Amino acid sequence: MAQKAETMSSSEGEVSLKDKGNEFFKAGNYLKAAALYTQAIKKDPSNATLYSNRAAAFLHLVKLNKALADADTTIALDPNWEKGYFRKGCILEAMERYDDALATFETALKYNPQSSEVTKKVKRLSQLAKDKKRAQEVENLRSNVDMSKYLESLKSELSEKYEGEKGREIFSFLVETMETAVRSWHQTSKVDARVYFFLDKERTETEKYAPVVNIDKAFESPHTHSSCFSFLRQYAEDSFSKAACLVAPKSIISYPQVWKGQGIRKWRHGQNDGFFVQLESPVLRILWFIPTSNEKGQALCRDPEVLDITAHEVLPRLFKQT
């Protein structure tokens, strides 16, 4: 009888510690709640509920490693109880381990398919996992800029039109110019309106002719556009340039707005922001538009798209055709 009374007294004490812990937890005193759950665990170390409750307290205290250890113990003690998996999922979510959290919540749902709380978590974590994956993809696109993969057909065309190394040199010049513009947009959400010239190393007077000319005023009116074009055409000739590449943001172009008027019939980019890249050489002229957007809070350049240069040219021909 004495032994039975002692057991009952011990059991009542454990319930009391747990209930007191619950009261402090509801009051927001998670540190005191965790301490009471710890005392209760010492009296009943195989009670899964006590570990689950203490895991919840540790989660609120942002003691995430301790919380995760208690959640794992909860599952080990009662592997068929949905609450242990739910608790672990919440902790993994707080750790921003979204893929692991989602898998854990899905396990919880197997043990309690009717739980609306777990269902909401699965939906939320599925979206968070997708968002995190897309954010990483966006960052990879921003960090690993490689324009050459979009220009393979042009590389072959240049090799056919030019003998020796000249075609490859012009291709490298174009790729470098494009990639510089894309990186600038990724870093600052803008590009400067410029014309880059591929100068002749042997013939160009480098002290007199720079490889880059700013043209930010060129698109203010028909007059400034015409004056700039005349200057650039003479510059290309006098500097013995082999090719030139224009970069111009759409946002600064008041004239010519090539996406309007006659060009609107072939314009497929709506109101999208972005910038133009126009390659000029004696044997080849190509125009691209690089659409831009803001995704996951980051500026992102989309794939370059070739435009009909007869409908959308930003500048007239700079080099005499050969």
Side-chain angles (χ1 to χ4, degrees):
M1 288 292 292
Q3 184 177 359
K4 184 177 180 181
E6 182 177 320
T7 301
M8 288 176 63
S9 174
S10 174
S11 176
E12 288 169 2
E14 288 160 16
V15 171
S16 177
L17 287 169
K18 175 189 167 188
D19 288 345
K20 286 181 180 179
N22 290 347
E23 290 175 7
F24 279 106
F25 187 95
K26 291 176 182 177
N29 191 338
Y30 304 114
L31 188 62
K32 183 65 175 177
L36 287 164
Y37 294 140
T38 299
Q39 292 179 43
I41 286 169
K42 289 178 180 178
K43 292 178 177 293
D44 187 2
S46 61
N47 189 321
T49 301
L50 294 174
Y51 284 98
S52 175
N53 288 2
R54 191 171 70 173
F58 282 147
L59 174 58
H60 281 283
L61 293 168
V62 200
K63 295 183 178 181
L64 300 182
N65 289 329
K66 288 185 176 181
L68 185 60
D70 275 355
D72 283 333
T73 302
T74 302
I75 293 169
L77 291 171
D78 192 349
N80 297 321
W81 187 33
E82 159 258 330
K83 182 63 77 173
Y85 300 99
F86 178 80
R87 197 72 75 202
K88 182 176 180 178
C90 291
I91 296 159
L92 291 169
E93 180 183 0
M95 291 177 163
E96 297 185 2
R97 291 168 55 182
Y98 298 132
D99 290 338
D100 293 335
L102 177 59
T104 306
F105 284 127
E106 287 173 341
T107 302
L109 203 58
K110 292 178 182 178
Y111 290 105
N112 186 4
Q114 306 304 318
S115 174
S116 60
E117 190 175 29
V118 177
T119 300
K120 288 178 182 177
K121 283 289 187 179
V122 168
K123 289 181 179 179
R124 181 173 183 274
L125 264 294
S126 295
Q127 189 59 52
L128 280 174
K130 288 178 182 177
D131 290 346
K132 184 178 181 180
K133 182 180 179 181
R134 181 54 186 164
Q136 186 59 55
E137 290 173 350
V138 168
E139 186 53 40
N140 289 339
L141 288 170
R142 284 168 45 82
S143 303
N144 303 315
V145 177
D146 179 12
M147 302 307 291
S148 62
K149 63 184 179 181
Y150 303 107
L151 306 171
E152 283 302 318
S153 60
L154 174 62
K155 186 176 184 180
S156 301
E157 188 175 358
L158 285 168
S159 296
E160 291 174 4
K161 291 183 179 295
Y162 288 101
E163 296 180 358
E165 292 293 317
K166 192 173 181 180
R168 285 188 286 272
E169 290 175 349
I170 291 176
F171 180 77
S172 297
F173 161 72
L174 171 64
V175 169
E176 182 180 354
T177 302
M178 273 190 165
E179 289 183 351
T180 298
V182 168
R183 291 192 183 98
S184 174
W185 194 281
H186 286 168
Q187 293 169 6
T188 65
S189 296
K190 67 177 184 178
V191 292
D192 294 323
R194 293 176 172 176
V195 175
Y196 297 80
F197 288 93
F198 183 33
L199 304 175
D200 189 310
K201 295 178 181 178
E202 297 178 357
R203 303 172 68 190
T204 302
E205 297 179 49
T206 53
E207 294 182 358
K208 185 176 180 181
Y209 296 100
V212 182
V213 175
N214 292 321
I215 56 168
D216 54 309
K217 304 297 183 183
F219 307 104
E220 293 181 349
S221 69
H223 173 70
T224 58
H225 186 263
S226 176
S227 297
C228 180
F229 161 66
S230 298
F231 170 79
L232 292 171
R233 190 166 194 179
Q234 191 64 49
Y235 193 95
E237 182 178 345
D238 294 345
S239 63
F240 299 104
S241 293
K242 299 177 183 179
C245 191
L246 170 144
V247 175
K250 181 187 174 194
S251 60
I252 72 162
I253 299 178
S254 296
Y255 178 88
Q257 293 191 340
V258 297
W259 55 94
K260 295 182 179 180
Q262 293 182 353
I264 197 170
R265 290 182 291 107
K266 296 184 178 181
W267 183 258
R268 297 182 177 87
H269 305 286
Q271 300 301 314
N272 286 353
D273 199 6
F275 56 93
F276 295 91
V277 177
Q278 184 171 319
L279 175 67
E280 290 284 323
S281 77
V283 299
L284 193 64
R285 303 179 71 220
I286 304 181
L287 174 65
W288 294 267
F289 181 68
I290 300 182
T292 59
S293 62
N294 192 288
E295 190 169 345
K296 306 302 178 187
Q298 301 281 2
L300 180 65
C301 292
R302 302 292 180 176
D303 297 351
E305 298 190 31
V306 177
L307 300 179
D308 182 349
I309 198 166
T310 62
H312 300 118
E313 68 175 7
V314 181
L315 281 177
R317 181 183 293 276
L318 291 185
F319 294 88
K320 293 178 180 178
Q321 192 169 2
T322 60

Short mmCIF file of all heavy atoms in Angstrom, two decimals, residues 209-256:
data_model
loop_
_atom_site.label_atom_id
_atom_site.label_comp_id
_atom_site.label_asym_id
_atom_site.label_seq_id
_atom_site.Cartn_x
_atom_site.Cartn_y
_atom_site.Cartn_z
N TYR A 209 41.59 58.91 -80.24
CA TYR A 209 40.29 58.23 -80.31
C TYR A 209 40.14 57.21 -79.17
O TYR A 209 40.94 56.28 -79.05
CB TYR A 209 40.13 57.52 -81.66
CG TYR A 209 40.11 58.49 -82.82
CD1 TYR A 209 41.27 58.70 -83.60
CD2 TYR A 209 38.97 59.20 -83.13
CE1 TYR A 209 41.27 59.59 -84.65
CE2 TYR A 209 38.96 60.10 -84.20
CZ TYR A 209 40.10 60.30 -84.95
OH TYR A 209 40.09 61.19 -85.98
N ALA A 210 39.13 57.43 -78.36
CA ALA A 210 38.84 56.51 -77.25
C ALA A 210 37.95 55.37 -77.74
O ALA A 210 37.22 55.51 -78.71
CB ALA A 210 38.14 57.27 -76.13
N PRO A 211 37.97 54.22 -77.05
CA PRO A 211 37.15 53.10 -77.48
C PRO A 211 35.68 53.21 -77.08
O PRO A 211 34.86 52.40 -77.49
CB PRO A 211 37.81 51.90 -76.78
CG PRO A 211 38.45 52.49 -75.57
CD PRO A 211 38.90 53.86 -75.95
N VAL A 212 35.36 54.24 -76.27
CA VAL A 212 33.97 54.41 -75.82
C VAL A 212 33.55 55.87 -75.98
O VAL A 212 34.30 56.78 -75.62
CB VAL A 212 33.81 54.00 -74.33
CG1 VAL A 212 32.35 54.13 -73.90
CG2 VAL A 212 34.31 52.59 -74.09
N VAL A 213 32.34 56.07 -76.52
CA VAL A 213 31.78 57.41 -76.67
C VAL A 213 30.42 57.46 -75.98
O VAL A 213 29.54 56.63 -76.28
CB VAL A 213 31.62 57.79 -78.17
CG1 VAL A 213 30.92 59.14 -78.30
CG2 VAL A 213 32.97 57.81 -78.86
N ASN A 214 30.25 58.39 -75.06
CA ASN A 214 28.96 58.56 -74.39
C ASN A 214 27.97 59.26 -75.32
O ASN A 214 28.32 60.25 -75.97
CB ASN A 214 29.12 59.38 -73.11
CG ASN A 214 29.90 58.64 -72.05
OD1 ASN A 214 29.74 57.43 -71.88
ND2 ASN A 214 30.75 59.35 -71.32
N ILE A 215 26.74 58.75 -75.36
CA ILE A 215 25.73 59.34 -76.26
C ILE A 215 24.41 59.56 -75.51
O ILE A 215 23.33 59.40 -76.06
CB ILE A 215 25.50 58.45 -77.50
CG1 ILE A 215 25.10 57.03 -77.09
CG2 ILE A 215 26.74 58.40 -78.37
CD1 ILE A 215 24.57 56.20 -78.25
N ASP A 216 24.50 59.93 -74.24
CA ASP A 216 23.29 60.07 -73.42
C ASP A 216 22.35 61.16 -73.90
O ASP A 216 21.15 61.14 -73.60
CB ASP A 216 23.67 60.32 -71.96
CG ASP A 216 24.61 61.49 -71.79
OD1 ASP A 216 25.63 61.54 -72.49
OD2 ASP A 216 24.32 62.37 -70.96
N LYS A 217 22.84 62.13 -74.68
CA LYS A 217 21.98 63.21 -75.19
C LYS A 217 21.45 62.91 -76.60
O LYS A 217 20.67 63.69 -77.14
CB LYS A 217 22.76 64.53 -75.23
CG LYS A 217 23.38 64.95 -73.90
CD LYS A 217 22.33 65.20 -72.84
CE LYS A 217 22.96 65.71 -71.54
NZ LYS A 217 21.96 65.90 -70.48
N ALA A 218 21.87 61.79 -77.16
CA ALA A 218 21.56 61.52 -78.57
C ALA A 218 20.08 61.33 -78.85
O ALA A 218 19.61 61.57 -79.97
CB ALA A 218 22.32 60.28 -79.03
N PHE A 219 19.33 60.90 -77.85
CA PHE A 219 17.94 60.49 -78.10
C PHE A 219 16.91 61.48 -77.57
O PHE A 219 15.75 61.14 -77.36
CB PHE A 219 17.71 59.11 -77.47
CG PHE A 219 18.72 58.09 -77.91
CD1 PHE A 219 19.76 57.69 -77.07
CD2 PHE A 219 18.66 57.54 -79.18
CE1 PHE A 219 20.70 56.77 -77.48
CE2 PHE A 219 19.60 56.61 -79.60
CZ PHE A 219 20.62 56.22 -78.75
N GLU A 220 17.34 62.74 -77.38
CA GLU A 220 16.43 63.75 -76.86
C GLU A 220 15.49 64.28 -77.93
O GLU A 220 14.35 64.67 -77.64
CB GLU A 220 17.22 64.90 -76.24
CG GLU A 220 17.98 64.49 -74.97
CD GLU A 220 18.75 65.65 -74.36
OE1 GLU A 220 18.86 66.70 -75.03
OE2 GLU A 220 19.23 65.50 -73.22
N SER A 221 15.95 64.33 -79.19
CA SER A 221 15.14 64.91 -80.27
C SER A 221 15.68 64.43 -81.61
O SER A 221 16.81 63.91 -81.69
CB SER A 221 15.20 66.43 -80.21
OG SER A 221 16.51 66.88 -80.55
N PRO A 222 14.93 64.64 -82.70
CA PRO A 222 15.45 64.29 -84.04
C PRO A 222 16.76 65.02 -84.35
O PRO A 222 17.65 64.46 -84.99
CB PRO A 222 14.33 64.72 -84.97
CG PRO A 222 13.10 64.63 -84.13
CD PRO A 222 13.52 65.03 -82.76
N HIS A 223 16.89 66.25 -83.88
CA HIS A 223 18.09 67.03 -84.15
C HIS A 223 19.31 66.43 -83.44
O HIS A 223 20.37 66.24 -84.07
CB HIS A 223 17.90 68.48 -83.70
CG HIS A 223 19.15 69.30 -83.79
ND1 HIS A 223 19.71 69.69 -85.00
CD2 HIS A 223 19.98 69.80 -82.81
CE1 HIS A 223 20.81 70.38 -84.77
NE2 HIS A 223 21.00 70.47 -83.45
N THR A 224 19.19 66.14 -82.14
CA THR A 224 20.33 65.58 -81.41
C THR A 224 20.68 64.19 -81.95
O THR A 224 21.84 63.81 -82.00
CB THR A 224 20.04 65.49 -79.91
OG1 THR A 224 18.86 64.68 -79.69
CG2 THR A 224 19.82 66.86 -79.30
N HIS A 225 19.66 63.46 -82.35
CA HIS A 225 19.88 62.12 -82.90
C HIS A 225 20.67 62.19 -84.20
O HIS A 225 21.65 61.46 -84.42
CB HIS A 225 18.53 61.43 -83.12
CG HIS A 225 18.64 60.00 -83.54
ND1 HIS A 225 18.56 59.60 -84.86
CD2 HIS A 225 18.85 58.86 -82.82
CE1 HIS A 225 18.68 58.29 -84.94
NE2 HIS A 225 18.86 57.80 -83.72
N SER A 226 20.27 63.11 -85.08
CA SER A 226 20.95 63.26 -86.37
C SER A 226 22.39 63.74 -86.18
O SER A 226 23.31 63.23 -86.83
CB SER A 226 20.17 64.25 -87.24
OG SER A 226 20.84 64.49 -88.45
N SER A 227 22.58 64.69 -85.27
CA SER A 227 23.92 65.22 -85.02
C SER A 227 24.84 64.14 -84.46
O SER A 227 26.01 64.02 -84.85
CB SER A 227 23.85 66.39 -84.04
OG SER A 227 23.11 67.46 -84.60
N CYS A 228 24.30 63.35 -83.53
CA CYS A 228 25.09 62.28 -82.92
C CYS A 228 25.46 61.23 -83.96
O CYS A 228 26.61 60.78 -84.01
CB CYS A 228 24.31 61.64 -81.78
SG CYS A 228 25.20 60.31 -80.94
N PHE A 229 24.49 60.85 -84.79
CA PHE A 229 24.77 59.85 -85.83
C PHE A 229 25.88 60.32 -86.76
O PHE A 229 26.81 59.58 -87.09
CB PHE A 229 23.49 59.56 -86.62
CG PHE A 229 23.76 58.93 -87.95
CD1 PHE A 229 24.30 57.65 -88.03
CD2 PHE A 229 23.49 59.61 -89.13
CE1 PHE A 229 24.57 57.07 -89.27
CE2 PHE A 229 23.74 59.03 -90.36
CZ PHE A 229 24.29 57.75 -90.42
N SER A 230 25.82 61.58 -87.20
CA SER A 230 26.85 62.12 -88.10
C SER A 230 28.22 62.09 -87.45
O SER A 230 29.23 61.72 -88.08
CB SER A 230 26.49 63.56 -88.50
OG SER A 230 25.27 63.60 -89.20
N PHE A 231 28.25 62.46 -86.17
CA PHE A 231 29.51 62.44 -85.43
C PHE A 231 30.06 61.02 -85.33
O PHE A 231 31.25 60.77 -85.57
CB PHE A 231 29.30 63.02 -84.03
CG PHE A 231 30.48 62.83 -83.12
CD1 PHE A 231 31.59 63.66 -83.20
CD2 PHE A 231 30.49 61.80 -82.19
CE1 PHE A 231 32.69 63.46 -82.37
CE2 PHE A 231 31.58 61.60 -81.35
CZ PHE A 231 32.69 62.44 -81.44
N LEU A 232 29.21 60.06 -84.98
CA LEU A 232 29.65 58.68 -84.78
C LEU A 232 30.13 58.05 -86.08
O LEU A 232 31.11 57.31 -86.09
CB LEU A 232 28.51 57.85 -84.19
CG LEU A 232 28.10 58.19 -82.75
CD1 LEU A 232 26.82 57.44 -82.36
CD2 LEU A 232 29.23 57.85 -81.77
N ARG A 233 29.44 58.37 -87.16
CA ARG A 233 29.83 57.80 -88.45
C ARG A 233 31.22 58.31 -88.85
O ARG A 233 32.06 57.53 -89.32
CB ARG A 233 28.80 58.14 -89.52
CG ARG A 233 29.03 57.38 -90.81
CD ARG A 233 27.85 57.47 -91.73
NE ARG A 233 27.95 56.48 -92.79
CZ ARG A 233 27.05 56.32 -93.74
NH1 ARG A 233 25.96 57.09 -93.77
NH2 ARG A 233 27.21 55.41 -94.67
N GLN A 234 31.48 59.57 -88.63
CA GLN A 234 32.80 60.13 -88.94
C GLN A 234 33.85 59.57 -87.98
O GLN A 234 34.98 59.28 -88.39
CB GLN A 234 32.74 61.65 -88.85
CG GLN A 234 33.97 62.34 -89.41
CD GLN A 234 34.11 62.10 -90.91
OE1 GLN A 234 33.17 62.25 -91.68
NE2 GLN A 234 35.32 61.69 -91.35
N TYR A 235 33.46 59.41 -86.74
CA TYR A 235 34.36 58.87 -85.72
C TYR A 235 34.79 57.46 -86.09
O TYR A 235 35.98 57.10 -85.98
CB TYR A 235 33.65 58.87 -84.36
CG TYR A 235 34.53 58.64 -83.16
CD1 TYR A 235 35.02 59.71 -82.43
CD2 TYR A 235 34.86 57.35 -82.73
CE1 TYR A 235 35.82 59.50 -81.30
CE2 TYR A 235 35.64 57.13 -81.62
CZ TYR A 235 36.13 58.22 -80.91
OH TYR A 235 36.91 58.02 -79.79
N ALA A 236 33.84 56.64 -86.53
CA ALA A 236 34.14 55.26 -86.93
C ALA A 236 35.13 55.23 -88.08
O ALA A 236 36.07 54.41 -88.12
CB ALA A 236 32.86 54.54 -87.30
N GLU A 237 34.95 56.14 -89.03
CA GLU A 237 35.83 56.19 -90.19
C GLU A 237 37.21 56.69 -89.83
O GLU A 237 38.23 56.09 -90.19
CB GLU A 237 35.20 57.09 -91.27
CG GLU A 237 36.02 57.15 -92.55
CD GLU A 237 35.36 58.00 -93.62
OE1 GLU A 237 34.15 58.30 -93.49
OE2 GLU A 237 36.05 58.37 -94.60
N ASP A 238 37.27 57.80 -89.10
CA ASP A 238 38.57 58.41 -88.77
C ASP A 238 39.40 57.55 -87.81
O ASP A 238 40.63 57.64 -87.82
CB ASP A 238 38.34 59.79 -88.14
CG ASP A 238 37.73 60.79 -89.13
OD1 ASP A 238 37.75 60.49 -90.35
OD2 ASP A 238 37.23 61.84 -88.68
N SER A 239 38.72 56.76 -86.96
CA SER A 239 39.44 55.94 -85.98
C SER A 239 39.81 54.56 -86.52
O SER A 239 40.41 53.76 -85.81
CB SER A 239 38.57 55.76 -84.72
OG SER A 239 37.38 55.05 -85.03
N PHE A 240 39.43 54.31 -87.78
CA PHE A 240 39.70 53.02 -88.41
C PHE A 240 39.09 51.86 -87.61
O PHE A 240 39.68 50.79 -87.50
CB PHE A 240 41.21 52.80 -88.58
CG PHE A 240 41.87 53.82 -89.44
CD1 PHE A 240 42.63 54.84 -88.86
CD2 PHE A 240 41.74 53.79 -90.83
CE1 PHE A 240 43.25 55.80 -89.66
CE2 PHE A 240 42.36 54.76 -91.62
CZ PHE A 240 43.12 55.77 -91.04
N SER A 241 37.92 52.10 -87.07
CA SER A 241 37.26 51.06 -86.27
C SER A 241 36.82 49.90 -87.17
O SER A 241 36.37 50.10 -88.30
CB SER A 241 36.04 51.63 -85.55
OG SER A 241 36.43 52.57 -84.57
N LYS A 242 36.94 48.69 -86.63
CA LYS A 242 36.52 47.50 -87.36
C LYS A 242 35.04 47.21 -87.14
O LYS A 242 34.39 46.58 -87.98
CB LYS A 242 37.34 46.30 -86.90
CG LYS A 242 38.83 46.44 -87.14
CD LYS A 242 39.57 45.23 -86.58
CE LYS A 242 41.08 45.36 -86.74
NZ LYS A 242 41.80 44.19 -86.17
N ALA A 243 34.52 47.64 -86.01
CA ALA A 243 33.11 47.42 -85.67
C ALA A 243 32.75 48.36 -84.53
O ALA A 243 33.62 49.00 -83.91
CB ALA A 243 32.86 45.97 -85.25
N ALA A 244 31.47 48.47 -84.26
CA ALA A 244 30.99 49.29 -83.15
C ALA A 244 29.78 48.62 -82.54
O ALA A 244 29.06 47.86 -83.21
CB ALA A 244 30.64 50.70 -83.61
N CYS A 245 29.55 48.89 -81.27
CA CYS A 245 28.40 48.30 -80.58
C CYS A 245 27.73 49.35 -79.72
O CYS A 245 28.34 49.92 -78.81
CB CYS A 245 28.86 47.12 -79.72
SG CYS A 245 27.51 46.13 -79.07
N LEU A 246 26.49 49.63 -80.03
CA LEU A 246 25.71 50.62 -79.28
C LEU A 246 24.96 49.93 -78.14
O LEU A 246 24.41 48.85 -78.32
CB LEU A 246 24.71 51.31 -80.20
CG LEU A 246 23.64 52.20 -79.56
CD1 LEU A 246 23.33 53.40 -80.43
CD2 LEU A 246 22.34 51.42 -79.31
N VAL A 247 24.95 50.57 -76.98
CA VAL A 247 24.13 50.13 -75.85
C VAL A 247 23.30 51.33 -75.42
O VAL A 247 23.86 52.40 -75.13
CB VAL A 247 24.99 49.63 -74.68
CG1 VAL A 247 24.11 49.30 -73.48
CG2 VAL A 247 25.81 48.42 -75.09
N ALA A 248 21.98 51.17 -75.39
CA ALA A 248 21.11 52.30 -75.04
C ALA A 248 19.89 51.81 -74.26
O ALA A 248 19.16 50.93 -74.74
CB ALA A 248 20.66 53.05 -76.29
N PRO A 249 19.68 52.36 -73.06
CA PRO A 249 18.48 51.97 -72.30
C PRO A 249 17.22 52.53 -72.94
O PRO A 249 17.20 53.68 -73.39
CB PRO A 249 18.73 52.59 -70.92
CG PRO A 249 19.65 53.74 -71.17
CD PRO A 249 20.50 53.33 -72.33
N LYS A 250 16.19 51.73 -72.99
CA LYS A 250 14.93 52.15 -73.59
C LYS A 250 14.37 53.39 -72.89
O LYS A 250 13.76 54.26 -73.53
CB LYS A 250 13.93 51.00 -73.51
CG LYS A 250 12.56 51.29 -74.12
CD LYS A 250 11.60 50.14 -73.84
CE LYS A 250 10.20 50.48 -74.32
NZ LYS A 250 9.19 49.56 -73.79
N SER A 251 14.58 53.49 -71.59
CA SER A 251 13.94 54.54 -70.79
C SER A 251 14.37 55.96 -71.17
O SER A 251 13.64 56.92 -70.90
CB SER A 251 14.23 54.31 -69.30
OG SER A 251 15.63 54.34 -69.06
N ILE A 252 15.56 56.11 -71.79
CA ILE A 252 16.02 57.48 -72.10
C ILE A 252 15.70 57.89 -73.53
O ILE A 252 15.98 59.01 -73.92
CB ILE A 252 17.53 57.64 -71.84
CG1 ILE A 252 18.33 56.91 -72.92
CG2 ILE A 252 17.92 57.20 -70.44
CD1 ILE A 252 19.78 57.37 -73.00
N ILE A 253 15.14 56.98 -74.30
CA ILE A 253 14.95 57.26 -75.73
C ILE A 253 13.62 57.99 -75.96
O ILE A 253 12.54 57.39 -75.90
CB ILE A 253 14.99 55.96 -76.56
CG1 ILE A 253 16.36 55.28 -76.40
CG2 ILE A 253 14.72 56.26 -78.04
CD1 ILE A 253 16.49 53.96 -77.14
N SER A 254 13.72 59.28 -76.19
CA SER A 254 12.54 60.05 -76.60
C SER A 254 12.37 60.00 -78.11
O SER A 254 11.26 60.05 -78.63
CB SER A 254 12.69 61.51 -76.14
OG SER A 254 12.72 61.58 -74.73
N TYR A 255 13.53 59.90 -78.81
CA TYR A 255 13.52 59.75 -80.27
C TYR A 255 14.76 58.97 -80.68
O TYR A 255 15.85 59.25 -80.19
CB TYR A 255 13.53 61.12 -80.96
CG TYR A 255 13.57 60.99 -82.46
CD1 TYR A 255 12.39 60.89 -83.20
CD2 TYR A 255 14.80 60.94 -83.14
CE1 TYR A 255 12.44 60.73 -84.58
CE2 TYR A 255 14.84 60.78 -84.52
CZ TYR A 255 13.68 60.69 -85.23
OH TYR A 255 13.71 60.52 -86.60
N PRO A 256 14.62 57.94 -81.52
CA PRO A 256 13.37 57.42 -82.09
C PRO A 256 12.78 56.33 -81.18
O PRO A 256 13.50 55.41 -80.79
CB PRO A 256 13.84 56.81 -83.40
CG PRO A 256 15.24 56.31 -83.10
CD PRO A 256 15.81 57.28 -82.10
#
